Amino acid sequence: MSQCLSYVCVTPYTVAKSRTGGVLSRLLMRTDLELVGAQIFAPDQKFADEYSDSLKERAPSNQLVLLADYVKQYFGPSGGRPHRTLFLLFRGEDPCEQLLNACGHLYTKHVEVDALAGETIRDTYSDLIFSAENPSEVRYFEPAVLTPRKQDEANKDLRMFADFFEGRENLVENVVYPDPTKIERTLVIIKPDNWHHNSSRPGAIIDMFSRTGLRIIGIKVHRFSLSQALDFYGPVKDILKDKLAPSYGKRALELLEREFHFKISSDLSGVLGASFGAECARDQFHQIVEFMSGQRPNGQTEEQMEKPGEVKCMILVYEGENAVKKIRDVLGSTDPNQASYGTVRREFGSTVMINTAHASDSSESYEREQKIIKISYNPMASIIREHVGK
């Protein structure tokens, strides 16, 4: 069966309540689809109306009317302020059916609370409350997520989303802070080791970062090219050489002495550190680059250097007061075995290299890193059009 695209749109309320991690976990665990794109965006009223009208045209059922009215009222700006919404793009076989099963159906009739099991996303995060006096009257409705039922509906919606995403920056700036000088941004990478197979890990990591109280203002699925990985981790190269070369040289000296049964002069120790030790440190750097891009930086052509890598990660931008410190406190030490309990790296990291996530260590680092990975650009529109056309 052919691979198709479908989507889940996470409502502004669900995003604002920092439930995005839980939603993503359910979607990854309950489907065998590949997450190929993610974007935070702020719909204007024109888009909200267009999306609402599209939903209303499909069928006059209670569910779709409820959803259409909700989108018209709550997706657009309120009080002049646009709201953050999360768009998740999935690829695979029967994506509409799989995503609908994970998201769950709306109940347009009164359902006893004890009858709900929390199995689907809507069971857990949505609300549909009827009037006690009039069981047919909806008092409160929050769907948590929206997803199409059929592939033709998905394709129509995807073209509409692609038109809206085209040319828009990937960062949503919808809040005016009382003192902007106190506001920082920091960049988080959920690394490739979290994406080898569908699991709850990426969502659980986002959930852990949500306890900082910071706002996600940008997100995208990214594949590092070799060139980007070399540039991004360039500052680490000299650090590794300074830290590792002497120790590798010392270990090489000890091995040679044991093998040949004589004492080697201390002068040779320095030579081994500068030669063999430096080569080992360089290999460690190349392993980091390979881990992040899926390729070794040896003998590659210029075209190969710029090509997106074979492994993916997710990049998020958080904003708020003391953002850098707050995120790094939750992230934990570079070595997962030395990280504090309850931190991301302690919970999910394996080694110093495979330590599950990266976070900027300063505002200056954020500025450097966001330029390398071009955080303001999200390829969502081009991904959609490649599959469903214009």
Side-chain angles (χ1 to χ4, degrees):
M1 187 174 291
S2 62
Q3 301 273 301
C4 299
L5 293 182
S6 191
Y7 71 89
V8 170
C9 199
V10 185
T11 67
Y13 184 80
T14 304
V15 172
K17 296 288 284 185
S18 295
R19 295 169 174 171
T20 51
V23 170
L24 181 60
S25 289
R26 294 289 184 94
L27 293 171
L28 292 175
M29 288 178 65
R30 290 177 58 85
T31 71
D32 60 9
L33 303 171
E34 179 188 4
L35 178 69
V36 295
Q39 184 162 353
I40 290 278
F41 71 107
D44 56 23
Q45 193 58 52
K46 179 182 177 183
F47 178 85
D49 291 344
E50 183 181 359
Y51 191 16
S52 173
D53 292 343
S54 179
L55 291 171
K56 195 168 288 188
E57 288 171 1
R58 289 171 190 171
S61 70
N62 291 338
Q63 289 194 12
L64 289 179
V65 170
L66 274 173
L67 286 172
D69 291 344
Y70 176 90
V71 168
K72 184 179 285 289
Q73 185 173 358
Y74 295 109
F75 264 51
S78 60
R81 176 185 293 175
H83 304 298
R84 294 170 301 145
T85 304
L86 175 60
F87 183 84
L88 299 169
L89 186 66
F90 292 87
R91 179 174 60 207
E93 296 182 0
D94 295 323
C96 293
E97 181 179 356
Q98 290 198 56
L99 292 174
L100 188 60
N101 288 337
C103 290
H105 294 273
L106 297 173
Y107 297 95
T108 52
K109 297 181 180 179
H110 178 71
V111 176
E112 291 292 337
V113 172
D114 289 338
L116 299 174
E119 180 181 5
T120 67
I121 290 169
R122 283 180 173 149
D123 277 350
T124 303
Y125 297 116
S126 75
D127 288 300
L128 181 58
I129 300 174
F130 294 88
S131 168
E133 295 79 18
N134 182 4
S136 64
E137 178 188 351
V138 176
R139 295 286 300 273
Y140 177 75
F141 175 52
E142 167 53 51
V145 291
L146 288 89
T147 192
R149 302 168 304 167
K150 302 175 183 177
Q151 193 59 52
D152 60 337
E153 296 174 354
N155 292 345
K156 180 181 178 181
D157 289 350
L158 288 171
R159 293 186 186 98
M160 177 182 63
F161 278 102
D163 288 342
F164 185 79
F165 292 145
E166 188 71 55
R168 293 180 185 269
E169 289 207 356
N170 192 42
L171 301 181
V172 173
E173 300 176 344
N174 67 329
V175 172
V176 177
Y177 295 96
D179 186 355
T181 62
K182 293 182 178 180
I183 303 303
E184 294 178 342
R185 289 178 178 175
T186 189
L187 186 142
V188 166
I189 301 175
I190 301 179
K191 292 183 177 182
D193 52 307
N194 300 287
W195 303 97
H196 295 320
H197 58 272
N198 282 9
S199 77
S200 63
R201 283 179 55 166
I205 291 168
I206 293 173
D207 259 351
M208 293 178 74
F209 283 129
S210 72
R211 72 190 189 211
T212 62
L214 301 170
R215 303 170 68 249
I216 300 174
I217 63 166
I219 183 171
K220 72 174 179 177
V221 174
H222 186 68
R223 294 179 183 271
F224 273 88
S225 68
L226 268 173
S227 178
Q228 286 179 326
L230 286 166
D231 197 5
F232 194 95
Y233 286 96
V236 176
K237 188 173 184 179
D238 288 338
I239 295 173
L240 288 174
K241 182 178 178 182
D242 292 341
K243 290 181 66 174
L244 298 180
S247 62
Y248 279 129
K250 183 179 179 182
R251 287 173 60 190
L253 181 70
E254 293 170 350
L255 288 170
L256 287 170
E257 287 180 339
R258 283 202 299 271
E259 177 68 22
F260 294 102
H261 308 290
F262 70 91
K263 188 74 174 175
I264 300 175
S265 69
S266 58
D267 292 341
L268 188 55
S269 176
V271 173
L272 286 170
S275 55
F276 175 77
E279 190 66 28
C280 289
R282 188 179 301 111
D283 182 71
Q284 286 288 307
F285 175 70
H286 286 177
Q287 287 185 45
I288 293 173
V289 171
E290 182 180 18
F291 173 64
M292 293 302 296
S293 69
Q295 305 171 80
R296 294 282 288 189
N298 304 97
Q300 304 288 347
T301 66
E302 185 174 342
E303 182 180 359
Q304 291 170 327
M305 293 289 290
E306 300 300 329
K307 185 179 179 181
E310 299 173 1
V311 294
K312 74 178 178 185
C313 58
M314 178 179 278
I315 298 177
L316 306 98
V317 175
Y318 287 85
E319 180 180 83
E321 292 190 20
N322 300 315
V324 172
K325 184 179 186 303
K326 286 179 179 178
I327 289 293
R328 289 189 68 82
D329 284 349
V330 175
L331 178 64
S333 301
T334 303
D335 185 348
N337 294 319
Q338 296 180 11
S340 299
Y341 287 100
T343 60
V344 169
R345 283 174 170 162
R346 184 73 181 200
E347 292 295 318
F348 299 108
S350 301
T351 66
V352 172
M353 182 186 300
I354 307 175
N355 58 10
T356 212
H358 162 89
S360 306
D361 61 11
S362 67
S363 294
E364 292 75 21
S365 292
Y366 164 76
E367 292 297 333
R368 186 188 73 86
E369 293 167 356
Q370 61 92 12
K371 290 176 183 176
I372 293 170
I373 52 90
K374 300 176 182 176
I375 192 61
S376 62
Y377 169 71
N378 195 315
M380 183 71 76
S382 61
I383 295 172
I384 291 172
R385 289 193 170 121
E386 181 182 344
H387 286 81
V388 302
K390 294 186 178 181

Short mmCIF file of all heavy atoms in Angstrom, two decimals, residues 292-349:
data_model
loop_
_atom_site.label_atom_id
_atom_site.label_comp_id
_atom_site.label_asym_id
_atom_site.label_seq_id
_atom_site.Cartn_x
_atom_site.Cartn_y
_atom_site.Cartn_z
N MET A 292 24.94 12.50 15.02
CA MET A 292 23.94 13.53 14.76
C MET A 292 23.50 13.59 13.30
O MET A 292 22.39 14.05 13.02
CB MET A 292 24.48 14.90 15.19
CG MET A 292 24.68 15.04 16.69
SD MET A 292 23.18 14.74 17.66
CE MET A 292 22.13 16.09 17.09
N SER A 293 24.33 13.14 12.38
CA SER A 293 23.99 13.24 10.96
C SER A 293 23.80 11.89 10.28
O SER A 293 23.26 11.82 9.18
CB SER A 293 25.07 14.02 10.20
OG SER A 293 26.28 13.28 10.13
N GLY A 294 24.30 10.83 10.92
CA GLY A 294 24.22 9.50 10.32
C GLY A 294 25.33 9.20 9.36
O GLY A 294 25.33 8.16 8.71
N GLN A 295 26.34 10.10 9.25
CA GLN A 295 27.42 9.92 8.28
C GLN A 295 28.76 10.32 8.89
O GLN A 295 28.82 11.24 9.71
CB GLN A 295 27.18 10.77 7.04
CG GLN A 295 25.84 10.54 6.37
CD GLN A 295 25.57 11.56 5.29
OE1 GLN A 295 26.08 11.44 4.17
NE2 GLN A 295 24.80 12.58 5.60
N ARG A 296 29.81 9.64 8.45
CA ARG A 296 31.17 10.02 8.86
C ARG A 296 31.67 11.12 7.93
O ARG A 296 31.44 11.09 6.73
CB ARG A 296 32.11 8.82 8.75
CG ARG A 296 31.82 7.69 9.70
CD ARG A 296 32.30 7.95 11.09
NE ARG A 296 33.75 7.88 11.22
CZ ARG A 296 34.39 7.90 12.40
NH1 ARG A 296 33.70 7.98 13.52
NH2 ARG A 296 35.69 7.85 12.44
N PRO A 297 32.40 12.09 8.46
CA PRO A 297 32.87 13.21 7.64
C PRO A 297 34.18 12.91 6.93
O PRO A 297 35.07 13.76 6.88
CB PRO A 297 33.03 14.33 8.67
CG PRO A 297 33.41 13.63 9.92
CD PRO A 297 32.66 12.31 9.90
N ASN A 298 34.32 11.75 6.36
CA ASN A 298 35.56 11.37 5.68
C ASN A 298 35.30 11.17 4.19
O ASN A 298 34.44 10.37 3.81
CB ASN A 298 36.14 10.07 6.27
CG ASN A 298 36.38 10.17 7.77
OD1 ASN A 298 35.55 9.74 8.54
ND2 ASN A 298 37.49 10.74 8.16
N GLY A 299 36.04 11.87 3.36
CA GLY A 299 35.99 11.66 1.93
C GLY A 299 34.66 11.98 1.28
O GLY A 299 34.31 11.39 0.25
N GLN A 300 33.87 12.88 1.86
CA GLN A 300 32.58 13.23 1.29
C GLN A 300 32.73 14.38 0.29
O GLN A 300 33.54 15.28 0.47
CB GLN A 300 31.61 13.66 2.40
CG GLN A 300 31.41 12.62 3.48
CD GLN A 300 30.60 11.44 3.02
OE1 GLN A 300 29.98 11.48 1.96
NE2 GLN A 300 30.61 10.36 3.79
N THR A 301 31.92 14.35 -0.76
CA THR A 301 31.92 15.45 -1.73
C THR A 301 31.19 16.65 -1.14
O THR A 301 30.49 16.53 -0.12
CB THR A 301 31.22 15.03 -3.02
OG1 THR A 301 29.83 14.80 -2.75
CG2 THR A 301 31.86 13.76 -3.61
N GLU A 302 31.34 17.79 -1.78
CA GLU A 302 30.67 18.99 -1.30
C GLU A 302 29.15 18.80 -1.32
O GLU A 302 28.45 19.25 -0.40
CB GLU A 302 31.05 20.18 -2.18
CG GLU A 302 30.50 21.51 -1.70
CD GLU A 302 31.00 22.69 -2.50
OE1 GLU A 302 32.03 22.55 -3.19
OE2 GLU A 302 30.35 23.76 -2.43
N GLU A 303 28.65 18.13 -2.35
CA GLU A 303 27.22 17.87 -2.44
C GLU A 303 26.75 16.97 -1.29
O GLU A 303 25.70 17.20 -0.69
CB GLU A 303 26.89 17.22 -3.78
CG GLU A 303 25.40 16.96 -3.98
CD GLU A 303 25.10 16.32 -5.32
OE1 GLU A 303 26.05 16.09 -6.10
OE2 GLU A 303 23.91 16.02 -5.57
N GLN A 304 27.54 15.94 -0.99
CA GLN A 304 27.20 15.05 0.11
C GLN A 304 27.25 15.76 1.46
O GLN A 304 26.47 15.45 2.36
CB GLN A 304 28.14 13.85 0.12
CG GLN A 304 27.93 12.89 -1.06
CD GLN A 304 29.03 11.85 -1.17
OE1 GLN A 304 30.20 12.12 -0.84
NE2 GLN A 304 28.67 10.65 -1.63
N MET A 305 28.15 16.72 1.60
CA MET A 305 28.28 17.46 2.85
C MET A 305 27.03 18.29 3.15
O MET A 305 26.68 18.48 4.31
CB MET A 305 29.49 18.39 2.78
CG MET A 305 30.84 17.70 2.73
SD MET A 305 31.29 16.92 4.30
CE MET A 305 31.60 18.36 5.31
N GLU A 306 26.35 18.76 2.10
CA GLU A 306 25.20 19.65 2.30
C GLU A 306 23.87 18.89 2.31
O GLU A 306 22.84 19.47 2.65
CB GLU A 306 25.17 20.71 1.18
CG GLU A 306 26.40 21.59 1.13
CD GLU A 306 26.63 22.37 2.42
OE1 GLU A 306 25.62 22.71 3.10
OE2 GLU A 306 27.79 22.63 2.77
N LYS A 307 23.90 17.62 1.97
CA LYS A 307 22.66 16.83 1.89
C LYS A 307 22.15 16.51 3.30
O LYS A 307 22.93 16.17 4.18
CB LYS A 307 22.94 15.53 1.12
CG LYS A 307 21.71 14.69 0.87
CD LYS A 307 22.10 13.44 0.08
CE LYS A 307 20.89 12.55 -0.16
NZ LYS A 307 21.27 11.31 -0.91
N PRO A 308 20.82 16.62 3.53
CA PRO A 308 20.27 16.25 4.84
C PRO A 308 20.67 14.83 5.23
O PRO A 308 20.74 13.94 4.39
CB PRO A 308 18.76 16.36 4.63
CG PRO A 308 18.61 17.36 3.54
CD PRO A 308 19.78 17.14 2.63
N GLY A 309 20.96 14.63 6.51
CA GLY A 309 21.49 13.36 6.99
C GLY A 309 20.47 12.24 7.02
O GLY A 309 19.30 12.41 6.69
N GLU A 310 20.94 11.08 7.46
CA GLU A 310 20.12 9.87 7.44
C GLU A 310 19.34 9.66 8.73
O GLU A 310 18.53 8.74 8.82
CB GLU A 310 21.03 8.66 7.17
CG GLU A 310 21.75 8.73 5.83
CD GLU A 310 22.77 7.62 5.65
OE1 GLU A 310 22.89 6.79 6.58
OE2 GLU A 310 23.44 7.60 4.61
N VAL A 311 19.61 10.46 9.74
CA VAL A 311 18.89 10.34 11.02
C VAL A 311 18.21 11.67 11.33
O VAL A 311 18.63 12.72 10.87
CB VAL A 311 19.84 9.95 12.17
CG1 VAL A 311 20.41 8.56 11.95
CG2 VAL A 311 20.97 10.96 12.32
N LYS A 312 17.16 11.59 12.11
CA LYS A 312 16.41 12.82 12.40
C LYS A 312 16.43 13.16 13.88
O LYS A 312 16.70 12.31 14.73
CB LYS A 312 14.97 12.69 11.91
CG LYS A 312 14.08 11.80 12.77
CD LYS A 312 12.66 11.78 12.22
CE LYS A 312 11.77 10.85 13.05
NZ LYS A 312 10.42 10.71 12.47
N CYS A 313 16.12 14.40 14.14
CA CYS A 313 15.96 14.86 15.51
C CYS A 313 14.81 15.87 15.52
O CYS A 313 14.23 16.18 14.49
CB CYS A 313 17.26 15.49 16.03
SG CYS A 313 17.84 16.87 15.04
N MET A 314 14.46 16.33 16.69
CA MET A 314 13.46 17.39 16.81
C MET A 314 14.11 18.58 17.49
O MET A 314 14.79 18.43 18.51
CB MET A 314 12.24 16.92 17.59
CG MET A 314 11.19 18.01 17.79
SD MET A 314 9.73 17.41 18.69
CE MET A 314 8.82 16.65 17.35
N ILE A 315 13.89 19.75 16.93
CA ILE A 315 14.46 20.97 17.48
C ILE A 315 13.33 21.85 17.99
O ILE A 315 12.34 22.07 17.30
CB ILE A 315 15.29 21.71 16.43
CG1 ILE A 315 16.46 20.83 15.97
CG2 ILE A 315 15.82 23.03 16.98
CD1 ILE A 315 17.31 21.42 14.87
N LEU A 316 13.48 22.35 19.22
CA LEU A 316 12.49 23.22 19.84
C LEU A 316 13.18 24.49 20.33
O LEU A 316 14.34 24.45 20.75
CB LEU A 316 11.80 22.54 21.02
CG LEU A 316 11.15 21.19 20.77
CD1 LEU A 316 12.07 20.06 21.21
CD2 LEU A 316 9.81 21.08 21.49
N VAL A 317 12.45 25.59 20.31
CA VAL A 317 12.92 26.85 20.88
C VAL A 317 12.00 27.23 22.02
O VAL A 317 10.77 27.30 21.85
CB VAL A 317 12.96 27.98 19.83
CG1 VAL A 317 13.34 29.31 20.49
CG2 VAL A 317 13.94 27.65 18.72
N TYR A 318 12.60 27.42 23.19
CA TYR A 318 11.85 27.83 24.38
C TYR A 318 12.14 29.29 24.68
O TYR A 318 13.26 29.77 24.46
CB TYR A 318 12.25 26.97 25.59
CG TYR A 318 11.72 25.56 25.54
CD1 TYR A 318 12.40 24.56 24.87
CD2 TYR A 318 10.53 25.23 26.19
CE1 TYR A 318 11.92 23.26 24.83
CE2 TYR A 318 10.05 23.92 26.17
CZ TYR A 318 10.74 22.95 25.48
OH TYR A 318 10.26 21.67 25.44
N GLU A 319 11.15 29.98 25.24
CA GLU A 319 11.29 31.41 25.52
C GLU A 319 10.75 31.71 26.92
O GLU A 319 9.74 31.15 27.35
CB GLU A 319 10.51 32.20 24.47
CG GLU A 319 10.57 33.71 24.65
CD GLU A 319 9.76 34.43 23.58
OE1 GLU A 319 8.52 34.55 23.75
OE2 GLU A 319 10.36 34.86 22.58
N GLY A 320 11.44 32.62 27.62
CA GLY A 320 10.99 33.06 28.93
C GLY A 320 12.14 33.56 29.77
O GLY A 320 13.29 33.62 29.31
N GLU A 321 11.87 33.91 31.00
CA GLU A 321 12.92 34.40 31.89
C GLU A 321 13.85 33.25 32.29
O GLU A 321 13.40 32.15 32.59
CB GLU A 321 12.30 35.03 33.15
CG GLU A 321 11.55 36.32 32.88
CD GLU A 321 11.16 37.04 34.16
OE1 GLU A 321 11.79 36.77 35.21
OE2 GLU A 321 10.24 37.88 34.11
N ASN A 322 15.15 33.53 32.26
CA ASN A 322 16.19 32.55 32.64
C ASN A 322 16.01 31.23 31.88
O ASN A 322 16.20 30.14 32.45
CB ASN A 322 16.15 32.28 34.14
CG ASN A 322 16.39 33.53 34.97
OD1 ASN A 322 17.29 34.30 34.66
ND2 ASN A 322 15.58 33.74 35.98
N ALA A 323 15.64 31.34 30.61
CA ALA A 323 15.34 30.14 29.84
C ALA A 323 16.52 29.18 29.76
O ALA A 323 16.35 27.96 29.87
CB ALA A 323 14.87 30.53 28.44
N VAL A 324 17.72 29.71 29.57
CA VAL A 324 18.90 28.86 29.40
C VAL A 324 19.12 28.00 30.65
O VAL A 324 19.26 26.78 30.57
CB VAL A 324 20.16 29.70 29.09
CG1 VAL A 324 21.41 28.82 29.12
CG2 VAL A 324 20.02 30.39 27.73
N LYS A 325 19.14 28.64 31.80
CA LYS A 325 19.39 27.91 33.05
C LYS A 325 18.26 26.94 33.38
O LYS A 325 18.52 25.79 33.79
CB LYS A 325 19.57 28.89 34.21
CG LYS A 325 19.92 28.20 35.53
CD LYS A 325 20.10 29.20 36.66
CE LYS A 325 20.59 28.50 37.93
NZ LYS A 325 19.68 27.42 38.38
N LYS A 326 17.03 27.36 33.19
CA LYS A 326 15.90 26.50 33.54
C LYS A 326 15.92 25.21 32.72
O LYS A 326 15.70 24.12 33.26
CB LYS A 326 14.59 27.24 33.31
CG LYS A 326 14.29 28.30 34.36
CD LYS A 326 12.98 29.03 34.05
CE LYS A 326 12.67 30.08 35.10
NZ LYS A 326 11.42 30.81 34.78
N ILE A 327 16.19 25.35 31.42
CA ILE A 327 16.22 24.16 30.57
C ILE A 327 17.40 23.26 30.92
O ILE A 327 17.27 22.03 31.01
CB ILE A 327 16.28 24.56 29.08
CG1 ILE A 327 14.93 25.14 28.64
CG2 ILE A 327 16.66 23.37 28.20
CD1 ILE A 327 13.79 24.15 28.61
N ARG A 328 18.56 23.85 31.16
CA ARG A 328 19.74 23.03 31.46
C ARG A 328 19.62 22.36 32.83
O ARG A 328 20.15 21.26 33.03
CB ARG A 328 21.02 23.88 31.38
CG ARG A 328 21.34 24.25 29.93
CD ARG A 328 22.69 24.90 29.79
NE ARG A 328 23.79 23.99 30.08
CZ ARG A 328 24.28 23.11 29.21
NH1 ARG A 328 23.77 23.00 27.99
NH2 ARG A 328 25.30 22.33 29.55
N ASP A 329 18.92 22.98 33.76
CA ASP A 329 18.68 22.33 35.06
C ASP A 329 17.84 21.07 34.89
O ASP A 329 18.09 20.05 35.54
CB ASP A 329 17.98 23.29 36.02
CG ASP A 329 18.92 24.35 36.58
OD1 ASP A 329 20.15 24.21 36.40
OD2 ASP A 329 18.41 25.32 37.18
N VAL A 330 16.85 21.12 34.01
CA VAL A 330 16.01 19.95 33.77
C VAL A 330 16.75 18.93 32.91
O VAL A 330 16.55 17.72 33.05
CB VAL A 330 14.68 20.36 33.10
CG1 VAL A 330 13.84 19.14 32.73
CG2 VAL A 330 13.88 21.27 34.02
N LEU A 331 17.61 19.41 32.02
CA LEU A 331 18.37 18.51 31.14
C LEU A 331 19.32 17.63 31.93
O LEU A 331 19.38 16.41 31.72
CB LEU A 331 19.15 19.33 30.11
CG LEU A 331 20.04 18.57 29.14
CD1 LEU A 331 19.21 17.66 28.24
CD2 LEU A 331 20.87 19.54 28.29
N GLY A 332 20.11 18.22 32.83
CA GLY A 332 21.05 17.44 33.63
C GLY A 332 22.45 17.43 33.04
O GLY A 332 22.69 17.91 31.93
N SER A 333 23.40 16.86 33.77
CA SER A 333 24.81 16.83 33.38
C SER A 333 25.03 16.06 32.09
O SER A 333 24.25 15.17 31.73
CB SER A 333 25.65 16.20 34.49
OG SER A 333 25.52 16.92 35.69
N THR A 334 26.14 16.38 31.41
CA THR A 334 26.48 15.73 30.15
C THR A 334 26.55 14.22 30.29
O THR A 334 26.07 13.47 29.44
CB THR A 334 27.82 16.27 29.61
OG1 THR A 334 27.73 17.69 29.49
CG2 THR A 334 28.15 15.67 28.27
N ASP A 335 27.15 13.74 31.38
CA ASP A 335 27.24 12.31 31.65
C ASP A 335 25.97 11.86 32.38
O ASP A 335 25.73 12.26 33.52
CB ASP A 335 28.46 12.02 32.52
CG ASP A 335 28.68 10.53 32.75
OD1 ASP A 335 27.78 9.73 32.42
OD2 ASP A 335 29.76 10.16 33.25
N PRO A 336 25.14 11.05 31.74
CA PRO A 336 23.88 10.63 32.38
C PRO A 336 24.08 9.96 33.74
O PRO A 336 23.23 10.08 34.62
CB PRO A 336 23.29 9.64 31.36
CG PRO A 336 23.88 10.04 30.05
CD PRO A 336 25.27 10.51 30.37
N ASN A 337 25.21 9.28 33.91
CA ASN A 337 25.45 8.59 35.18
C ASN A 337 25.74 9.56 36.32
O ASN A 337 25.63 9.20 37.49
CB ASN A 337 26.62 7.62 35.03
CG ASN A 337 26.28 6.48 34.09
OD1 ASN A 337 25.19 5.95 34.13
ND2 ASN A 337 27.23 6.12 33.22
N GLN A 338 26.13 10.78 35.97
CA GLN A 338 26.39 11.79 37.00
C GLN A 338 25.27 12.83 37.10
O GLN A 338 25.31 13.70 37.97
CB GLN A 338 27.72 12.50 36.69
CG GLN A 338 28.93 11.57 36.75
CD GLN A 338 30.23 12.29 36.46
OE1 GLN A 338 30.28 13.51 36.41
NE2 GLN A 338 31.30 11.53 36.27
N ALA A 339 24.30 12.74 36.23
CA ALA A 339 23.19 13.69 36.25
C ALA A 339 22.28 13.41 37.45
O ALA A 339 22.18 12.28 37.93
CB ALA A 339 22.39 13.59 34.95
N SER A 340 21.61 14.45 37.92
CA SER A 340 20.72 14.31 39.07
C SER A 340 19.50 13.49 38.69
O SER A 340 19.05 13.50 37.54
CB SER A 340 20.27 15.69 39.55
OG SER A 340 21.39 16.47 39.95
N TYR A 341 18.95 12.78 39.66
CA TYR A 341 17.72 12.03 39.44
C TYR A 341 16.60 13.00 39.07
O TYR A 341 16.51 14.10 39.62
CB TYR A 341 17.34 11.22 40.68
CG TYR A 341 18.23 10.01 40.89
CD1 TYR A 341 19.26 10.04 41.81
CD2 TYR A 341 18.03 8.86 40.13
CE1 TYR A 341 20.09 8.93 42.00
CE2 TYR A 341 18.85 7.74 40.31
CZ TYR A 341 19.88 7.79 41.24
OH TYR A 341 20.69 6.69 41.41
N GLY A 342 15.76 12.58 38.15
CA GLY A 342 14.66 13.43 37.72
C GLY A 342 14.98 14.33 36.55
O GLY A 342 14.10 15.05 36.08
N THR A 343 16.23 14.30 36.09
CA THR A 343 16.59 15.09 34.92
C THR A 343 16.44 14.24 33.66
O THR A 343 16.38 13.01 33.71
CB THR A 343 18.04 15.61 35.01
OG1 THR A 343 18.94 14.50 35.11
CG2 THR A 343 18.21 16.51 36.22
N VAL A 344 16.38 14.92 32.52
CA VAL A 344 16.17 14.24 31.24
C VAL A 344 17.28 13.24 30.96
O VAL A 344 17.03 12.08 30.59
CB VAL A 344 16.08 15.27 30.10
CG1 VAL A 344 16.13 14.59 28.73
CG2 VAL A 344 14.80 16.10 30.23
N ARG A 345 18.53 13.66 31.13
CA ARG A 345 19.64 12.78 30.80
C ARG A 345 19.74 11.60 31.76
O ARG A 345 20.15 10.50 31.37
CB ARG A 345 20.95 13.58 30.76
CG ARG A 345 21.07 14.41 29.48
CD ARG A 345 22.28 15.30 29.49
NE ARG A 345 22.51 15.91 28.19
CZ ARG A 345 23.28 16.97 27.99
NH1 ARG A 345 23.88 17.55 29.03
NH2 ARG A 345 23.44 17.48 26.77
N ARG A 346 19.41 11.82 33.03
CA ARG A 346 19.43 10.70 33.98
C ARG A 346 18.37 9.67 33.61
O ARG A 346 18.60 8.45 33.70
CB ARG A 346 19.19 11.21 35.39
CG ARG A 346 19.29 10.13 36.46
CD ARG A 346 20.72 9.73 36.68
NE ARG A 346 20.85 8.68 37.69
CZ ARG A 346 21.97 8.41 38.35
NH1 ARG A 346 23.06 9.12 38.09
NH2 ARG A 346 22.01 7.45 39.24
N GLU A 347 17.21 10.15 33.19
CA GLU A 347 16.10 9.25 32.87
C GLU A 347 16.30 8.52 31.55
O GLU A 347 15.98 7.34 31.45
CB GLU A 347 14.79 10.05 32.82
CG GLU A 347 14.33 10.59 34.15
CD GLU A 347 13.97 9.51 35.14
OE1 GLU A 347 13.33 8.53 34.73
OE2 GLU A 347 14.34 9.64 36.32
N PHE A 348 16.85 9.22 30.54
CA PHE A 348 16.84 8.65 29.20
C PHE A 348 18.22 8.52 28.54
O PHE A 348 18.34 7.86 27.52
CB PHE A 348 15.96 9.50 28.28
CG PHE A 348 14.52 9.57 28.72
CD1 PHE A 348 13.99 10.72 29.26
CD2 PHE A 348 13.71 8.46 28.59
CE1 PHE A 348 12.68 10.79 29.67
CE2 PHE A 348 12.38 8.51 28.99
CZ PHE A 348 11.86 9.67 29.54
N GLY A 349 19.24 9.15 29.10
CA GLY A 349 20.57 9.09 28.49
C GLY A 349 21.26 7.77 28.73
O GLY A 349 20.94 7.03 29.67
#
